[in-house]
Structures are given as structure tokens and as C-alpha cells.
Amino acid sequence: MTQQEPVTSSVEDGIALIRIANPPVNALSAAVRGGLKRAAEAAAADPAVRAIVLAAEGKTFIAGADISEFGKPPVPPSLPETIAALESLSKPVVAAINGAALGGGLEVALGCHARVAAPSAKLGLPEVNLGILPGAGGTQRLPRLIGAAPALKIMAEGKPISAKEAQANGLVDEVAEDVVAAAKTLALKLAGGALPAVPKDRTNLGAREAFEEAAAAILKRNPNNPSVEACVDAVRAAFDKPFEEGLAVERAHFTRLRDDPRSAALRHVFFAERAAARIPGLPKGTAARPVQRAAVIGAGTMGGGIAMCFANAGIPVTLIETTEENLQRGLERVEGNYATSVKRGSLAEDAKAKRMGLIEGKVGLEAAAGADLVVEAVFEEMGLKKEIFGKLQEIAKPGAILATNTSYLDVDEIAASTSRPADVLGMHFFSPANVMKLLEVVRGKETAPDALATAMEIGRKLAKVPVVSGVCYGFIGNRMLARRTAMAERLLLEGALPQDVDKALTDFGFRMGPFAMSDLAGIDVSWRIRKAMNLKTAPVADALAEAGRFGQKTKRGFYDYSADGRTGAPDPEVATLIERISAERGISRRAIPQEEILQRLLFPMINEGARILGEGIAARAGDIDTVWLNGYGWPAWTGGPMFYADSVGLPKIVARLREFAAASGDTNLEPAALLLRLAHEGSSFTALDEKAAA
Ligand code: TC6
């Protein structure tokens, strides 16, 4: 089979129609760049060509540079050279933007003389999300086209704008359903006249003060973000330097950032998230079951949040409770959450009404009968869950998916309480469910392939990042978290204070440390669970809870919140309490260096991640990273726990774990078999994933 040329060109009625066809998203691979440059040169040389239209096949215009080429030796022509070839043509080039024009894709369109976009098209410069900045003229052309302040906003936020917005700010000249036809008409109109290229001077930049004001606000919102800082610097160069010199400033930032390990980590994040959507072992062509209507059992904080996810995605949902009173309380909480969004300006009043209209409250399990997907979100109590699933086998439609939102419990045991275990799986949302992006989809041993495919597809429809996990206590995320939690307590007993432990993690890049998090969630929640299970694993947290220090809600927990109810201050009383518990246990306290604290918190989690991978609970190391990045606030520019482990070096982690295990006598800290093997072979988690994908 001959491979289709990624760029083709045909001439008709004086117009050269250059088409890009490089599925799935028309990324600007070396072959596309080469094809574009040759097509531009051929159009320039052909006397029959009066104008050029640049179009693309599929639903995307161009998704940008081919990210998989970063980190490999560059292949000419470069993207700036390719764009220069289009821009320097003496015949008009019009971009027909049929779908997303992102990054280098928008930069190609900016190198054209005019742009027509479909109403559904999205235009953006999302490079900051990959730790870089636009590197093919975007930082110089966009400000000169629409003004420096609005251009900086687009590139620093990394969020695409709609065709309508792009027309309003002058980025596109026309919005049309049939972009190719409209672009042809426009191209012929421009032929023979002066070409409306992006001005190379300061005409359109706007007021310098407005730019500096916008830049200061953006830098404040994005502290220590090298990509955003580079965007500001490059756009500022548009005021201070001629066009070509501005391009050089941009290029220098681009190559520096592209070669920074933080950008490599963010590229890993991009591909890991997409790889997580592929389910190993799923028969080819497995189709998802249709889901027209959902039901959520339990209108607590979690159940209400899950119902909101369905309503936000336009899927009607029945929210089910046992009593009218509980139901009303749940519905009021949902309404209150939407009202807060309206007040903040992130949701229109009519959109709120529409979403509330999609949520129907009902008392009694029978109301689940109409749903294609039922999500149970009641207390973490096996008996209760089994009872519900037992009843659902009669109530739910044949073929309806029966999902549990359990965070820890055995999905196989729950599935065994029904006569239809093939329909059962876990859909583990994270709190607050309407905000957090992670969805762990738990595959039971009997779960049918199409049930799994359905949960993954629905997850994406709910704007979540779904990751498949096998069945084990705590699944991927909470199982690893348990290692960190246990170690955090141990560090307190050995000499650290809550603020020392939290600081190690916030300095690493987490928004919050484990103790500040505990105070926010409520220390009493896990205390009650430990009491019920007769666990003595967290003596400090238990002592605080017993003293009525439940965290922010009682103004005291690991920290003192008496100042404003939200800002935690270190509390000498807590230090005294911890010192007392250490003394009672005969532990002589010592000052623990920050680096040791960090390693003792992170390395046991990585070790548990290796076990999870070794047991096949997670299919890829990248899946584990995706879980931690989207559900637990792991800093993206380190790539997630397993990618970070590779960057630290697996032999170093093995050596430190052995030291921790020897010092504590805790066999859990002994390096996992898979970690040992990879370290011994000089391999890495990344290499393991690559081998599995090949
Ligand atoms: C840049 O342009 C810098 C320029 C300066 C140079 C000097 N490259 O997301 P999906 C793959 S930086 C390579 O699931 P959707 C993706 O991995 C770039 N591959 O689809 C997946 O592959 P798989 C700036 C890419 O419909 C498949 O395409 N641009 C690229 O939900 C489908 O992807 C961006 O950051 C790429 N650029 O969303 C935009 N893009 O099937 C990145 C996608 O083997 N892309 N793939 O797993 C996106 O935001 C989205 O893909 C989308 C389509 C909105 C275009």
C-alpha cells in the first residue's frame, strides 16, 4: 500500500488548493513541512496560479508541531522556514481553518495573508501547557495582528478561542460554513491587489501601558512559570525591536525551553493522558453501550457532584435518596454549587436552569429503572453496597452499567452480589466530583469489555481523564497515598513538625501538603474509619481528633486557623502534643533535613506504584502518572511519580528505600521486584511503557 502524500496541491480557476492530510490531527511533521514548502514554491512558479488556499482534511485544521519530534534531531525545513515560504509569496495565501488551529497550526495561519474559519473552529497557542512558547513567529505576528495585550492573554493562558471571538479581535477575516469556498472567493478578491500581510511594525500593538499592566497581572497569576515569563519577554520585544530581531528573541526562548527537562516532562504528560485512553486486551472494535440517561444513588456531597457532572455534559440524570429530606438537602447543595458559579461569573443563569432541569430527584431505588448507567455513591460500607447491587439486578434495565463509586472496597465482591457481574465496574470520582478531572475506572474480573469501554467513553464525555485500574485496596491513587500518609505520621514522631512535612511537598510543587489537606478534608473522617477498624496507624491525627481538633471546620487541627478560618498557622500546642507522643513511644526526636523528608514521602509511593504496575493493576507507568497528576495535584512539570522516578534514577531510589527499610524495620519499604529489576537492568519506567506500546 502506498502511503498518501501528506500535502497535495491542485490548480483550478487560477487557485492552487494546497491540502494537508496527516491524520489524526494534521500535526506539522517533517513530511508536512517539506510538502508545504514545496507546494508554496510550485504555486509561486506556476503562472496559472493567481492565489492560494491552504486547507486541511479531517476535523482539525492543524494541531501544531508534531510533539513526538521534539527531543529528536531536527529535520529541515524548520517550521519558521516553512511559514516564511508562504508569507513571502507575492500571490495571496488564504487559510481555510476548518477545525482546531493550535500552536504551530495557528502560526501557519498567521503566515498566510488572510484567514477564514468555520464557526466551530478553535484557535489557540497552547504551547505553555507543554512548557514552551510559540516558536514559529506566533509571539511576533499575533500581537502585530490583534494587539499585544490580547495576544499575550491567548498565549499565556494557553486556552483556545472560538471563531466568533477570533473574528471580533481581527484574528480571522471571515467566519463561514464552507471554509474552502469562502477562502477561494477571498483569495481571488485579494489577487492583484496589495497583500494584507500582518504588519511588521508597531501599528497594531496597542498601548504599551495596557500591555505592561496585562503582563504584570499574568505573571502574578503564574508565579515561577518559565514559559509564561518567556511569552511576556518575547511579546515585549515586539515593542522594543524590529520584527526579525523579535523572532530571534522568541527562537532563543523556544530552544532553551524545549530542551529543558520540564518541557520533556510536560510532553510525557500529554502523551500519557492520551495513552491512558487505550485499554489493553480490549477486543478490537468493542463498541460502547449507548447512555441516554444516568442515575446516581446517594445525594451526599459526592453523589450530588457526580450528578452535576452528568448534567454539565447534557446527560439527564436521576438523583436518588432514601428519604425526601435527604433528597432535598442534596438538591439544595447542587443548586448552591451552581449558584456560586453564577455569582463568580463562570456560569450563565440560563445555563444553570438548564443543568438543574436535567437533574431529577427521586426517593427510592426503583427510580434507577430508566437509567443506562447507574452510579452508586453511598457510604463506604460493603454490606450496604451489596444490598443495593442486589436490588439493582432486578431494577436496572438489562444492559445498564452498574457502577460503584467506592474509593477502597473490593469491586469483585460487590459484583458478586448481583446476577449480572459483567455489568459491574467501579467509577471512582474524586472530590469535589464536579471539579476534579480524574476518574478511576475499576475493571472487575467479570467486567464485560463493552461495559469498560462505556465507562471510559462516558468519562471523556463528562470531561474527565479516565484511567483504568484493576481491583485492589485503594486502587491506584489511594493505595499509593496510603504510603505517603503513613510516612508523614512517622516523620512527625521522629522529629518533624506538620509545617516541615508540608513544606517539603509544597516546595516540590504540590499546592498543599498532607497535613494542610487533612485539615481541609476534616481529621475526623479518617479517624472514624480507623476507630471502626481498630487501627492505631496515625497516633498524632487520632490525638488531635480526640481533642476535638478536626481541622478547618473547628478552627484547629494540625494548624491553628483562628486568624481567618482558612489560613493555618503553626501551633505550639500541636508541637507539644507531638513531642509528648514521641516521648511516650521512646523515640528520640532529631532535626530531619528537608531532602530526607521529601525522599521519605515520595520514594515509598513510587515503590508502591512499581508494585501496582508489577501486579498489572495499572497497565502503564504513564497511567499511574496520569492518576497522580489529575487527582492528587502532583506537579505536572515533574511528569508524575513514575516519570519523576526515572529522572531521579532508579538505582538511587532502590538504595534509599533499602536504607529506609533497614532503619525502620518496615518491610513495605523494601524495593518492589519490578523496581529492582528495572534498576538492575539500567532500564526505566518510560522504557517499559515504550516497549509495551511497540
Ligand atoms: C507547537 O505547535 C510548537 C510550535 C513551534 C515549533 C517551532 N503532535 O487529543 P486527541 C495525537 S507545540 C503529535 O486524543 P482530540 C495524540 O497523541 C504543539 N501528536 O484528539 C493522539 O494520538 P493517539 C501545540 C498529536 O480530538 C491523537 O493525536 N499544539 C498532536 O481529543 C488524537 O489526539 C498542541 O498542544 C501533536 N501536536 O483533540 C495541541 N496533537 O491516538 C495538541 C495530537 O495515538 N493537541 N496528537 O493517542 C490537542 O490539543 C488535541 O489533540 C486536539 C484534538 C484538540 C487537536
Side-chain angles (χ1 to χ4, degrees):
M1 199 176 84
T2 53
Q3 210 170 348
Q4 200 199 341
E5 280 295 319
V7 179
T8 52
S9 189
S10 58
V11 181
E12 207 183 290
D13 301 332
I15 296 176
L17 178 63
I18 303 177
R19 273 194 186 274
I20 303 176
N22 184 29
V25 291
N26 297 325
L28 292 157
S29 63
V32 172
R33 298 192 303 272
L36 271 179
K37 188 158 177 274
R38 278 192 302 278
E41 285 158 1
D46 186 344
V49 173
R50 297 174 54 216
I52 296 127
V53 166
L54 177 62
E57 300 286 345
K59 61 182 174 70
T60 307
F61 176 62
I62 304 173
D66 185 336
I67 304 167
S68 65
E69 284 184 359
F70 290 179
K72 294 182 185 155
V75 178
S78 70
L79 190 55
E81 280 163 11
T82 310
I83 293 172
L86 288 167
E87 192 178 42
S88 61
L89 289 182
S90 55
K91 303 171 186 182
V93 187
V94 178
I97 303 172
N98 54 313
L102 300 174
L106 183 57
E107 290 176 301
V108 167
L110 283 166
C112 297
H113 302 107
R115 287 149 291 278
V116 174
S120 60
K122 296 266 178 231
L123 302 95
L125 293 171
E127 284 87 342
V128 290
N129 301 323
L130 295 167
I132 51 176
L133 84 165
T139 68
Q140 301 306 302
R141 289 192 182 92
L142 189 60
R144 286 171 164 90
L145 188 63
I146 67 165
L152 179 64
K153 183 172 184 297
I154 289 176
M155 58 189 91
E157 288 181 355
K159 283 199 203 101
I161 60 170
S162 66
K164 209 167 142 196
E165 289 169 279
Q167 189 177 28
N169 69 19
L171 172 50
V172 304
D173 301 84
E174 233 179 281
V175 175
E177 287 288 351
D178 186 342
V179 273
V180 173
K184 281 182 177 173
T185 308
L186 181 58
L188 282 178
K189 210 155 76 186
L190 295 174
L195 292 182
V198 172
K200 296 287 159 60
D201 58 19
R202 296 186 194 130
T203 326
N204 285 349
L205 286 178
R208 174 98 191 211
E209 301 73 46
F211 163 73
E212 293 297 348
E213 207 174 295
I218 282 168
L219 289 171
K220 197 168 164 208
R221 278 200 302 278
N222 297 278
N224 306 320
N225 185 324
S227 303
V228 172
E229 284 163 16
C231 288
V232 169
D233 191 55
V235 176
R236 188 174 285 135
F239 285 99
D240 295 337
K241 297 181 195 293
F243 181 73
E244 293 297 332
E245 285 179 38
L247 285 183
V249 170
E250 172 193 279
R251 197 69 195 162
H253 280 304
F254 176 78
T255 41
R256 173 181 60 84
L257 291 170
R258 183 199 55 197
D259 298 338
D260 187 305
R262 285 173 286 193
S263 172
L266 289 165
R267 295 198 296 271
H268 161 76
V269 170
F270 178 85
F271 286 117
E273 234 173 61
R274 280 153 182 87
R278 290 191 283 273
I279 313 166
L282 206 66
K284 227 179 153 89
T286 304
R289 302 179 192 175
V291 176
Q292 315 278 352
R293 179 165 201 101
V296 176
I297 303 171
T301 311
M302 201 66 196
I306 297 171
M308 287 173 78
C309 295
F310 285 104
N312 296 351
I315 301 171
V317 55
T318 310
L319 186 58
I320 300 173
E321 256 300 344
T322 46
T323 66
E324 193 60 46
E325 194 192 341
N326 288 352
L327 180 64
Q328 283 318 317
R329 204 178 311 127
L331 288 170
E332 275 162 27
R333 194 182 299 116
V334 169
E335 172 111 42
N337 285 341
Y338 280 137
T340 308
S341 304
V342 171
K343 221 192 287 163
R344 284 200 194 125
S346 58
L347 186 72
E349 190 64 58
D350 57 341
K352 174 189 165 220
K354 199 167 154 210
R355 290 180 192 188
M356 277 311 290
L358 288 170
I359 304 177
E360 177 197 35
K362 287 269 180 191
V363 172
L365 267 191
E366 292 68 28
D372 305 298
L373 166 67
V374 183
V375 184
E376 164 277 310
V378 303
F379 298 122
E380 279 290 80
E381 209 185 288
M382 183 56 96
L384 180 60
K385 291 192 192 266
K386 279 179 162 174
E387 189 189 320
I388 290 173
F389 276 76
K391 287 183 183 154
L392 281 178
Q393 79 184 23
E394 304 297 336
I395 296 169
K397 280 190 198 174
I401 310 279
L402 310 180
T404 169
N405 177 53
T406 181
S407 320
Y408 289 96
L409 299 178
D410 185 339
V411 172
D412 288 330
E413 193 179 336
I414 296 173
S417 63
T418 75
S419 55
R420 40 197 279 195
D423 294 335
V424 177
L425 44 73
M427 284 179 79
H428 180 206
F429 291 79
F430 287 72
S431 188
N434 52 316
V435 176
M436 297 297 290
K437 292 189 75 184
L438 178 62
L439 175 71
E440 280 182 323
V441 175
V442 187
R443 177 187 207 165
K445 61 175 190 280
E446 305 272 354
T447 305
D450 64 342
L452 188 64
T454 310
M456 294 295 279
E457 189 180 283
I458 274 290
R460 279 189 294 275
K461 281 199 182 138
L462 303 187
K464 303 289 169 203
V465 178
V467 180
V468 176
S469 170
V471 175
C472 67
Y473 188 74
F475 315 123
I476 297 172
N478 282 346
R479 178 168 158 185
M480 288 167 72
L481 181 68
R483 295 280 167 234
R484 189 181 85 179
T485 308
M487 186 57 88
E489 272 270 342
R490 198 178 289 170
L491 285 162
L492 293 184
L493 298 184
E494 287 182 25
L497 290 174
Q499 55 271 28
D500 304 325
V501 174
D502 282 352
K503 184 172 184 304
L505 285 184
T506 51
D507 283 359
F508 180 72
F510 280 91
R511 296 270 298 270
M512 250 188 204
F515 296 120
M517 193 58 165
S518 227
D519 278 352
L520 183 67
I523 297 178
D524 53 321
V525 181
S526 45
W527 172 58
R528 285 182 217 287
I529 297 172
R530 282 192 301 275
K531 270 217 306 204
M533 295 172 76
N534 202 20
L535 286 175
K536 305 257 183 274
T537 47
V540 176
D542 288 349
L544 291 173
E546 270 146 30
R549 300 184 66 123
F550 291 168
Q552 285 196 20
K553 59 184 160 192
T554 57
K555 293 224 161 95
R556 282 188 162 69
F558 284 100
Y559 296 95
D560 177 354
Y561 296 88
S562 50
D564 61 4
R566 294 182 67 101
T567 321
D571 187 339
E573 264 182 42
V574 174
T576 309
L577 177 138
I578 295 172
E579 281 157 14
R580 177 174 58 72
I581 300 176
S582 297
E584 282 166 8
R585 297 178 164 230
I587 301 169
S588 52
R589 296 175 63 79
R590 66 180 170 98
I592 310 177
Q594 282 281 293
E595 195 192 352
E596 181 184 331
I597 294 180
L598 186 68
Q599 291 180 348
R600 286 179 63 184
L601 292 170
L602 301 189
F603 292 1
M605 284 173 49
I606 290 164
N607 199 29
E608 199 61 36
R611 285 193 191 108
I612 285 170
L613 197 55
E615 291 167 20
I617 297 291
R620 310 166 191 86
D623 289 6
I624 298 176
D625 290 336
T626 304
V627 163
W628 271 81
L629 292 159
N630 290 287
Y632 298 84
W634 187 288
W637 41 267
T638 70
M642 310 318 273
F643 188 86
Y644 171 71
D646 284 348
S647 72
V648 171
L650 303 189
K652 178 174 172 182
I653 295 178
V654 165
R656 290 296 279 151
L657 282 168
R658 282 189 169 137
E659 286 166 20
F660 302 156
S664 64
D666 182 350
T667 50
N668 273 317
L669 295 172
E670 288 292 350
L674 177 64
L675 180 59
L676 275 177
R677 176 166 73 75
L678 293 177
H680 179 72
E681 290 171 356
S683 187
S684 64
F685 291 113
T686 312
L688 189 72
D689 277 3
E690 278 167 4
K691 217 162 105 191

